[in-house]
Amino acid sequence: MNRYPRDMQGYGETPPDPQWPGGARIAVQIVLNYEEASENNILHGDAASEAFLSEIVGAAAWPGQRHWNMESIYEYGARAGFWRLHRLLRDVPLTVYGVATALARAPSQVAAMQDAGWEIASHGLKWIEYKDATPEDEAADMAEAIRLHTEVTGTPPRGWYTGRCSENTLRLAAETGQFAYVADSYADDLPYWMEFGDCDQLVVPYTLDANDMRFATPQGFNSGSQFLDYLKDSFTALYREGAEGQAKMMSIGLHCRLIGRPGRVEALRAFLEFARSHEGVWFATREQIADHWAKIHPAQRFTRPSEMLQADFVAAYGGIFEHSAWIAEGAHALELGRAHDTAIGLHNALARVFRSARKDLRLGVLTAHPDLAGKLAQAKRLTEHSSAEQAGAGLDALTDAERTQFTQMNDAYVAKHGFPFIIAVRDHDKAGILRAFGRRIDNAQDVEFQEACRQVERIAALRLQDLLP
């Protein structure tokens, strides 16, 4: 099957209400990445020095050599930056993304994290790139990270974030059965579920924009005031959405060696004061958010059209366009994905096939529709869809005079246009249908053909709304 693996649909226009504790308008989630002494370094068995996220502009890896300047920048994060942030944030619910080998080299910092009651999630075994790793090697590193994390902290991690991940990372993390959440996504402002075989894995998305890493990237933050302004604007937008009934989560990413510098930390302090000045703000760890979401919005599976075999797909949706299974067959052959597992998405796929078909085939769809309140209805030989639709508009309970009127109009319409009068009866009552009948019967044949096709598509959309989200 031609299937698109990415999810471009998400929650769509109406995201779920997270029902944050206390009716909070926003959940603020702060992450402190602890990576110091896990970066690329020949002392750690790596081929070269680190070149990422430091104060050194245009840093390059040094193959086979230690990079003293780079090492000392990371050491600053452990020796000074961490403690400055610990003093500021010790009373704030916070999640640490701890690289296992970094945690193993930081017993004092780990003890301080635990004394503060911070959640310590896993940030992998080493702070390395996995884009070219085999699934077997990545899984082995993941297992070792869990083992070492548990050994160092005393408890296994319930959250996972690789960061420089591969296309296999989320699946591998889900398959461990270990994690209440995985954070290797930037795709939403709310948690969401992903399915991997029989496993339902909760994803609590992270951020790269409200993140101090932009102090070390081109077109990033040049000063603490820029970072503060960005955090305040992000908070304000999300807080307003929460006040309007669409509460979200705000993630903030921090690094000891970056925001831990004195010229930047005051921006973080100012933001905390700003956020705390608002009512209805829930500061939470990612673990707390994950547990809350799993309770309020547990994983729910349904039969997804994009995953159905053709026979099952046609059996389920072959009657959406009246007696025209060929449209469902054509839609199944398209590039379907998660965006087509909704009523709007699947309707688009079916309508594409209908619109691109030859005119004689489209005419066949029109002529497959029954007359309104006609002989098939009286004989109870309508399809289940058509029967319910006509009954909903009261066409199954006409007076003799009304039935005669419908019959005469049906006959006149078919005689002129060559196909039955078609209208999405669920959009109208009986009187409205009769008015449309009288208004459209005098249209030119080509104009009415196009209108009938639009009505067929509208009928299909309404039918799908009864079947899919």
Side-chain angles (χ1 to χ4, degrees):
M1 294 188 292
N2 184 18
R3 296 297 177 258
Y4 191 66
R6 299 169 64 196
D7 184 355
M8 309 305 289
Q9 172 64 26
Y11 291 122
E13 184 178 4
T14 54
D17 181 359
Q19 301 177 46
W20 299 135
R25 297 178 180 181
I26 186 173
V28 176
Q29 205 297 294
I30 299 175
V31 166
L32 179 60
N33 292 268
Y34 195 86
E35 301 156 344
E36 285 70 19
S38 70
E39 76 277 8
N40 280 289
N41 190 316
I42 63 172
L43 296 176
H44 306 156
D46 301 307
S49 62
E50 186 56 68
F52 192 46
L53 289 190
S54 78
E55 305 292 343
I56 303 174
V57 177
W62 290 6
Q65 298 182 50
R66 292 178 64 183
H67 193 317
W68 191 263
N69 291 344
M70 182 66 72
E71 289 182 24
S72 66
I73 289 172
Y74 276 78
E75 288 164 13
Y76 183 92
R79 293 164 55 122
F82 172 83
W83 298 108
R84 182 170 288 121
L85 295 171
H86 183 262
R87 289 191 295 272
L88 176 60
L89 298 168
R90 71 175 72 197
D91 297 324
V92 178
L94 179 149
T95 294
V96 175
Y97 285 167
V99 182
T101 50
L103 297 176
R105 296 177 175 120
S108 296
Q109 290 89 338
V110 169
M113 296 172 193
Q114 294 175 325
D115 288 345
W118 292 347
E119 175 204 359
I120 308 178
S122 181
H123 196 0
L125 178 63
K126 297 173 63 175
W127 200 50
I128 60 174
E129 180 74 71
Y130 280 96
K131 67 181 180 65
D132 297 320
T134 67
E136 294 76 17
D137 287 345
E138 187 174 359
D141 279 0
M142 194 173 288
E144 176 59 15
I146 295 169
R147 186 204 67 77
L148 182 57
H149 183 109
T150 304
E151 182 179 277
V152 170
T153 69
T155 56
R158 296 191 68 225
W160 179 272
Y161 176 72
T162 294
R164 291 190 270 185
C165 63
S166 75
E167 64 178 294
N168 302 304
T169 300
L170 268 75
R171 175 182 61 81
L172 294 173
E175 288 174 354
T176 68
Q178 171 75 42
F179 302 113
Y181 70 90
V182 176
D184 279 293
S185 171
Y186 316 103
D188 213 300
D189 298 310
L190 288 172
Y192 60 92
W193 293 95
M194 292 188 70
E195 300 171 5
F196 297 95
D198 295 331
C199 177
D200 295 308
Q201 178 63 62
L202 184 63
V203 176
V204 180
Y206 187 43
T207 178
L208 295 181
D209 67 313
N211 193 311
D212 68 357
M213 68 175 287
R214 292 182 59 195
F215 283 116
T217 61
Q219 295 298 312
F221 303 125
N222 291 325
S223 67
S225 60
Q226 291 180 344
F227 185 45
L228 173 60
D229 286 346
Y230 194 88
L231 294 183
K232 289 172 68 174
D233 286 348
S234 299
F235 178 95
T236 299
L238 294 172
Y239 190 82
R240 179 181 295 111
E241 291 179 12
E244 295 170 349
Q246 290 196 354
K248 303 294 196 317
M249 175 185 77
M250 178 181 179
S251 289
I252 302 171
L254 306 175
H255 298 75
C256 300
R257 64 193 175 279
L258 297 177
I259 197 67
R261 292 283 176 173
R264 298 168 181 152
V265 74
E266 289 306 308
L268 179 59
R269 188 187 308 275
F271 172 75
L272 291 174
E273 293 172 355
F274 172 78
R276 286 167 171 162
S277 71
H278 292 72
E279 295 181 354
V281 179
W282 181 40
F283 286 90
T285 68
R286 299 181 85 77
E287 183 177 30
Q288 289 171 327
I289 289 173
D291 289 344
H292 173 83
W293 194 269
K295 179 181 178 181
I296 300 300
H297 297 290
Q300 294 183 340
R301 293 197 175 203
F302 65 96
T303 301
R304 296 183 178 276
S306 66
E307 296 176 357
M308 297 171 71
L309 297 176
Q310 187 195 57
D312 297 328
F313 184 93
V314 173
Y317 304 111
I320 297 299
F321 282 73
E322 195 84 3
H323 294 295
S324 301
W326 62 269
I327 294 178
E329 292 170 356
H332 189 269
L334 296 175
E335 180 196 76
L336 302 184
R338 289 299 176 95
H340 301 97
D341 293 335
T342 65
I344 291 175
L346 185 55
H347 178 262
N348 181 266
L350 293 167
R352 285 173 57 189
V353 177
F354 175 63
R355 293 166 189 166
S356 62
R358 301 191 313 266
K359 184 173 183 179
D360 63 306
L361 291 175
R362 286 184 288 151
L363 178 60
V365 175
L366 302 187
T367 58
H369 277 260
D371 289 332
L372 295 182
K375 295 179 180 178
L376 290 178
Q378 296 174 40
K380 299 187 182 301
R381 291 174 53 198
L382 298 179
T383 66
E384 184 177 346
H385 287 300
S386 291
S387 179
E389 289 157 0
Q390 294 202 25
L395 302 187
D396 63 337
L398 299 176
T399 65
D400 289 342
E402 289 172 333
R403 185 172 294 106
T404 297
Q405 183 181 15
F406 266 97
T407 298
Q408 290 174 346
M409 296 184 78
N410 279 329
D411 291 344
Y413 184 94
V414 173
K416 178 172 182 180
H417 296 293
F419 48 83
F421 177 76
I422 300 171
I423 191 169
V425 296
R426 286 169 59 174
D427 289 334
H428 304 273
D429 58 15
K430 183 167 51 180
I433 293 170
L434 286 170
R435 286 194 297 271
F437 232 140
R439 183 174 62 251
R440 287 171 48 188
I441 194 169
D442 292 329
N443 282 341
Q445 201 275 342
D446 60 333
V447 172
E448 191 56 20
F449 180 84
Q450 295 301 323
E451 178 60 28
C453 287
R454 283 192 289 270
Q455 293 297 321
V456 164
E457 291 188 21
R458 175 60 180 164
I459 292 167
L462 292 169
R463 289 175 177 179
L464 286 169
Q465 288 174 16
D466 294 335
L467 302 175
L468 292 168

